[in-house]
Amino acid sequence: MAEKETQEKKRIALPITGMTCVSCVAHVTQALEEVPGVTSAQVNLASEQASVEYDPARTSPREMEKAVRDIGYGIGKQTALLRVTGMTCASCVEKITRAVGEMEGVSNVVVNLASGSARVEYLPGVVGIREIKRTIQELGYGAQEALEGEAALEQEKKARASEIRRQLINLAIAWPVGIIVMLGTFRDYWVLPRLVPEFLGNTYLLGALTTIVVAGPARQFFINSYRGLRKGLTDMNLLYATGIGAAYLIAVLNTLWPRAGFGGEKATFYESAALLTGFIVLGRYLEAATRGRTSEAIRKLMRLQPRRARVVRGGQEIEVHADEVEVGDLVVVRPGESIPVDGVVEEGYSAVDESMLTGESLPVEKKSGDPVTGGTLNKTGAFRFRATRVGKETALAQIIRLVEEAQTTKAPIQKVADYVAGHFILGVHLLALLVFVFWFFLGYDLFFRPESGFILSPYTLGSVGVFGFALLLSITVLVISCPCAVGLATPAAIMAGSGKGAENGILFKGADAIEALSRVNTVIFDKTGTLTRGEPSVTDIVGGSLAEREVLLLAAVAERNSEHPLAEAILRRAREEGIDVPQPQAFQAIPGQGVEVGLEGARILLGNRKLMGEKAIAIDSLLPQVERLEAEGKTVVFLARDGKAGGVIAVADTLRPDAPLAIDQLHRLGIQVAMLTGDNRRTAQAIARQAGIDRVLAEVLPQDKAEEVRKLQGERRKVAMVGDGINDAPALAQADSGIAIGAGTDVAKETGHVILIRDRLLDVVAAVQVSRATMRKVKENLFWAFGYNTLGIPIAAGLLYPFFGLVVSPELAAFFMATSSISVTLNTTLLRGYRPPVRRLEAA
Amino acid sequence: MKEKAIRLATLFSFIVASILAGAFFLAASLQDHGALARYAGAVWVFILALIVALPTIAPILKKRLGINKK
């Protein structure tokens, strides 16, 4: 770490980017020295670093960063992804976020409970990754840098196995001992006197057994609470520690001094302390077994990465590890093998199953010149390809990175939940204090009855005194209030949703992208290339004095030497119809009007109305048809042979085949659909009518697209913009949700919040459906999690006691607490089986 | 600086918790509760009040002492 303290001052090394010359050095130096609190700044161009001495009471690296950015330079920040073990609830997330976020040089930290990770953005000259890890470890959690690919899976497997083993050992101690303690405590009830030996009822023995549980499995709660409190932070461990500690302490006092006034020897809460620990440890074990693992989708994607590759080197075919393939290597793929890296086919022909990356169910044909993607499966033939992207650059690696990043971000809804959960601990302790004071001063005298008891327990409260009774309810409030389920509710669903998106060729760039898309009520499609094919094609051929096929033949002859987009459309149609187009004679282009060619002595004219007028060709008989076609937004060209109108050909940019269905499906989701285009209004209206679009934004210049999006947002609409991401990047960025369609496998370069790998409009519908299903799951989870606490806390506080004479025992509270997390996890797993309804339509 | 803030927060929290525990003890004495209930209740109030006070006071002091968040 490049930091040392000089009495009250500090010196740090800031990495500066964007400097090119000595004047840049002067600018940066001046900017830094002008920051109040900075006493000196020395900037080095060669090392691209600024050594800054400052007064930490007056300024911070963040203000220096702002000063440098304000004059157009950057700060070379680094991002580290850490795998964090031992987190159990939202308050752990809050605790780590606060402790790391307060570190000097850390500019952003996002902790994810569900994936057990922390993404930290930091200034490498101010703070190091080792210190960040140490800070997390000092709080009582494990922290190590996350690895990639197979190594990541191995790392995750080891961390999970270690956590599960630790909690299993705790379970193995807590439960058998806890059950013995319970039998001993309840020895006088039901049939137990006949079954349980008398010595087990001895309170000294029970005390000794409970001490094993408190000093063993429960030790983690006391140590972790102490570590947090030392930094002024609280978490769930503190709730457990106070609950278990108080129950144990009172039991010990009642054992040693039964007449001391804590409820006497009949009020030894040993079984509470032991079983409370048992249930909490059981909850932790179940959580470790069901979460903290990379999402199913990422694991599936990681497993796609082939381990071996066959490359041709020195004329020999040799097998190497897939990581050793280099750009430019010739790679050999046989039938049934996975393609190891990205490349372009050089020899051979095959069909490749790309469903794992694109969701496309049909195998895609590959021949010389076609791109192939690493991780996809070669089906039938053998081929050789030249590697173009390897290692971290492959499409598969990019997709994995994108999904991982999405899963380590936080949706806005989660930030609210985390805030609530983070402040929950304080609130719960305050509530426990109020509950204690109420039952101590008022409740006990008003409502206490010795024959009253615990829910689902034969144990009556008997001679419990005022302190013991108030303490019992206070402890139960602490135990039942665990916000574990609140912490899991959002990240678990976001992980499942982003994974589900990846399975369908939909990549969300963050949890906020999922939430934003789920709220969209207006979708704008860019017309050319998104809603339409993006290239003109022949839509109508109308014969006049000539038959339709002859019109097409002669038009193709006339356009044979032209490179105009209309010519390409006519020639493509002629090729499709198997017409052999002969070479014309005497080709002459007439600028702004058309062409004139000769063929076997005949004079052929192809062009617009003006050309026909100038050459005095009568087109009256064709005009009704022409007007109809023009009203449909099509471009019409006239064909004449030897001075007589032969027919017309209409050319237009046509709708993609799936456009009407996609728009209909969006309507069914309650979404208004608009189209944005630079075309004239009549052409745009024609396309809109065919597709069923509600609103047309025509004659919009490319630079004004973002402004149109802004206008719609001004109408309080949540707008998604769908484009190819090439000329509509500002509009995609302006929209609440920018959807880049047809990214193929080069996902890293794409702009937008959501990336659709395939070039299909129905995937827009699928993306909306996945995002809505995910957010629905988030809301369900939050409802259950908060609902559980809302219901549980008043009961634990003794709300039912005046009416039914029943209270919740601390161990039952711990059981409820454990089941709440499990129910949220199980509810989330239902999303794994989700299939966007539009996929069923596609299949049909 | 950060350690100083925590130390000060701990001191203030002790004071706040002690005042509350003392108030509890006085109120319990007025109601004629047994000695152990009074003492033990005051200890429990002290523990809970300390747990509430420490994380509440620590960020305020950190801010006052100029420990910037980033």
Side-chain angles (χ1 to χ4, degrees), chain A residues 56 59-60 98 101-102 106-107 229-232 234 238 242 246 260 262 426 429-430 433 436 440-441 466-467 471 474, chain B residues 1-2 6 24 27-28 31 33 36-37 40-41 44-45 47-49 51-52 54-56 58-59 62 66 68-70:
Chain A
T59 189
S60 67
R98 274 175 63 183
E102 278 176 2
V106 171
S107 53
L229 279 175
R230 231 176 28 175
K231 289 183 181 288
T234 53
L238 190 59
T242 32
F262 288 108
L426 277 188
H429 275 93
L430 194 62
L433 184 60
F436 178 76
F440 190 94
F441 289 113
V466 60
F467 170 72
L471 181 72
S474 181
Chain B
M1 195 67 89
K2 203 168 159 185
I6 300 286
F24 175 89
Q31 262 198 354
H33 284 290
L36 241 145
W44 184 241
V45 168
I47 292 170
L48 291 181
I51 289 169
V52 174
L54 185 57
T56 312
K62 279 182 196 170
N68 292 295
K69 198 164 180 269
K70 274 148 198 168

Side-chain angles (χ1 to χ4, degrees), chain A residues 282-303:
Chain A
L282 176 67
R284 292 211 164 172
Y285 166 73
L286 290 172
E287 280 169 31
T290 53
R291 68 162 182 80
R293 48 202 288 191
T294 308
S295 79
E296 191 62 34
I298 290 188
R299 275 186 288 141
K300 271 188 196 166
L301 286 168
M302 282 178 171
R303 282 197 208 109

